[in-house]
Amino acid sequence: MDKNWFSLPKEIRDGIKYLSAHFYPVSIMNRWEILKKLSFEKAKLVKGYSLQQVIEEIEHFDFFKEYFKEDPLNEVQLPPSYVKLFDGLVEDFMSPKWKENVATRFHMITEGILATVGLKILNETSKRYNLSEFNEGIKRIIEDEARHVNFGFSLIEDKEYAVKRIEELFPLAVQIVKEGKEKIEPLGYSIDELIALMEELKRSRINKILSK
């Protein structure tokens, strides 16, 4: 943890912790314990980057766990919409069209939109408040997430189905951001502007799918 962490204003620390808990939801991780097993099982069925991605996701957990050891994320309350998103991921992994379902919910919506926006905020805020150790970790995660999103495109075979799913899931992503307004806006971000950015990211992901 950065030496100046506890000297930051409480609302800034709370906002950073709130967003970090979306990447390491330690208070409710037991709810999705089966995801680790499902991820490794499916990774064995997909050639290429899949297994490495699972390993990197675990490394991301380890980063947040280690960084917040002195100020744990256990008591951070995540919104019901976030829980709904990941409950659906468990169902997606066990569905007949699991590749498209996981690619759309996880790679396109969770990583390609929500994580992209969350990491942008964490990157800029940690720079602004001179959290050098935290910022280094976030920059590594940003690089990993970009590869994960690109890998997700390779899982999609049914383009029309994937686009429809992204459009169906997008309002849930918006709800997650809206429900975090009280924690996010004190970091200096307008929820309306973030939703506009999310719309741009959605269009970008859909355009890339359709151009494959």
Side-chain angles (χ1 to χ4, degrees):
M1 177 169 277
D2 288 281
K3 293 180 179 178
N4 60 327
W5 171 256
F6 287 104
S7 66
L8 266 57
K10 186 177 184 302
E11 65 270 19
I12 301 302
R13 283 184 282 125
D14 285 349
I16 291 173
K17 288 179 67 177
Y18 179 76
L19 289 175
S20 295
H22 286 68
F23 294 90
Y24 179 53
V26 61
S27 64
I28 49 175
M29 278 177 67
N30 288 342
R31 182 185 183 93
W32 304 305
E33 195 171 0
I34 194 173
L35 275 178
K36 185 175 179 180
K37 177 176 178 287
L38 290 171
S39 297
F40 275 110
E41 285 178 354
K42 299 302 186 184
K44 293 174 184 177
L45 302 176
V46 180
K47 292 180 180 179
Y49 184 65
S50 189
L51 185 59
Q52 180 61 29
Q53 177 182 330
V54 176
I55 293 168
E56 287 174 356
E57 293 293 348
I58 294 170
E59 289 174 350
H60 298 172
F61 285 170
D62 290 343
F63 164 72
F64 288 107
K65 180 180 180 181
E66 181 63 28
Y67 186 86
F68 289 104
K69 190 181 290 184
E70 295 174 42
D71 193 9
L73 302 175
N74 304 57
E75 296 182 6
V76 176
Q77 296 295 312
L78 292 168
S81 50
Y82 177 92
V83 175
K84 183 178 180 180
L85 180 70
F86 278 88
D87 280 352
L89 184 60
V90 175
E91 296 172 7
D92 288 344
F93 266 111
M94 296 187 285
S95 64
K97 288 179 76 75
W98 69 268
K99 283 186 183 179
E100 270 93 0
N101 287 341
V102 170
T104 49
R105 185 184 298 268
F106 188 68
H107 296 85
M108 300 298 117
I109 292 291
T110 305
E111 294 189 308
I113 297 177
L114 286 169
T116 301
V117 171
L119 289 167
K120 166 187 166 63
I121 296 172
L122 290 175
N123 181 40
E124 293 172 352
T125 304
S126 57
K127 280 183 183 177
R128 194 178 307 126
Y129 288 93
N130 298 313
L131 298 172
S132 56
E133 182 184 336
F134 187 76
N135 185 254
E136 283 301 313
I138 292 300
K139 286 191 291 188
R140 286 195 298 272
I141 293 173
I142 288 173
E143 292 173 1
D144 290 345
E145 295 290 301
R147 288 195 301 274
H148 299 178
V149 173
N150 283 330
F151 174 73
F153 289 111
S154 71
L155 296 175
I156 295 171
E157 296 173 0
D158 188 335
K159 296 180 184 181
E160 289 185 10
Y161 177 80
V163 170
K164 182 181 177 185
R165 278 267 299 180
I166 291 170
E167 294 287 8
E168 288 173 350
L169 290 167
F170 184 73
L172 182 58
V174 171
Q175 188 180 350
I176 290 170
V177 173
K178 284 183 175 178
E179 288 178 357
K181 180 177 181 176
E182 290 184 4
K183 298 292 186 182
I184 296 170
E185 289 199 333
L187 297 176
Y189 296 85
S190 156
I191 293 299
D192 289 340
E193 289 176 2
L194 294 177
I195 292 171
L197 173 58
M198 292 169 70
E199 290 277 5
E200 289 179 23
L201 289 167
K202 182 188 73 171
R203 286 194 295 271
S204 173
R205 307 313 182 200
I206 287 175
N207 288 341
K208 185 164 182 176
I209 290 168
L210 294 175
S211 66
K212 284 177 61 182

